[in-house]
Amino acid sequence: MNPTQFRLDFPEFADPVKYPDSLIQMWLTVAASLVNAVRWAELTNIGIELITAHHLTIAARDQNAAAVGGVPGVMTGPTSAKAVDKVSTSYDTGAAALDNAGFWALTSYGIRYLSLARMMGAGGLQFSC
């Protein structure tokens, strides 16, 4: 897995200024250590890419916060309601939530990763010699 393939699979991260190759490679390296290729088999790369996309999304939030004078790294949960003047919107944040998802629930990529990871961790493994 490399940044070029990652960008092909996740074109929303195509901007090399916002998402430099060095940042993508760093998260690909971290992700590769978190995805057990024996369990994930042919889905190993998608697991690595979802973790990378999750971290890149959080990094972009941090950059956006810092750009407007905010404090990067402050974590908040999903917004359930928002009001501007006389218009308000609310969302059912529980509809797409996973129990005990914690950090992974902060992005749609994290939710997708954790959903797959929970399936990959189910059951035993049998090795043949």
Side-chain angles (χ1 to χ4, degrees), residues 37-95:
V38 172
R39 286 202 177 267
W40 284 72
E42 64 271 1
L43 298 179
T44 298
N45 285 345
I46 192 69
I48 291 169
E49 289 176 320
L50 286 170
I51 290 172
T52 300
H54 175 74
H55 283 285
L56 290 173
T57 301
I58 291 173
R61 287 181 192 169
D62 291 345
Q63 289 172 353
N64 290 340
V68 296
V71 178
V74 175
M75 301 301 279
T76 60
T79 301
S80 63
K82 184 176 184 177
V84 177
D85 198 20
K86 295 179 183 179
V87 178
S88 67
T89 303
S90 62
Y91 304 94
D92 179 6
T93 56

